[in-house]
Amino acid sequence: ALAARGKEKYHLCQDCHGPAALGQGPIPRLAGQYPGYTAAQLKAYQEGLRKNNIMNGIAKGLTDEDFKAIAEYTFGLE
């Protein structure tokens, strides 16, 4: 259920990270990343601890549960 919710939210990520979360050019791969790591990085963008105008803006509109869901979904995309 968590990954299904993440799939619904992934549309926010796919323009940059790609439809299969494989990354593109300097944009990192999300597929197969450990969910705890991915969720923590999203939280860091939300809190401004990591700086990227696009990521900071997207993360501010998400909840901690959204972070976990997206992370769970992308973990399974390998």
Side-chain angles (χ1 to χ4, degrees):
L2 191 59
R5 181 174 174 197
K7 184 177 182 179
E8 292 174 9
K9 294 285 185 176
Y10 186 72
H11 70 90
L12 298 167
C13 313
Q14 72 182 11
D15 283 351
C16 295
H17 292 277
L22 298 176
Q24 303 180 86
I27 308 297
R29 172 189 184 103
L30 299 178
Q33 289 283 356
Y34 290 109
Y37 174 79
T38 301
Q41 299 315 303
L42 288 167
K43 185 69 172 176
Y45 281 117
Q46 183 184 56
E47 294 177 347
L49 300 173
R50 292 194 68 173
K51 305 287 185 196
N52 177 285
N53 289 337
I54 294 170
M55 287 299 302
N56 295 128
I58 290 171
K60 284 185 189 224
L62 298 171
T63 66
D64 287 350
E65 195 63 28
D66 292 334
F67 297 156
K68 292 175 190 173
I70 291 168
E72 191 66 30
Y73 172 68
T74 57
F75 175 66
L77 290 177
E78 189 150 38

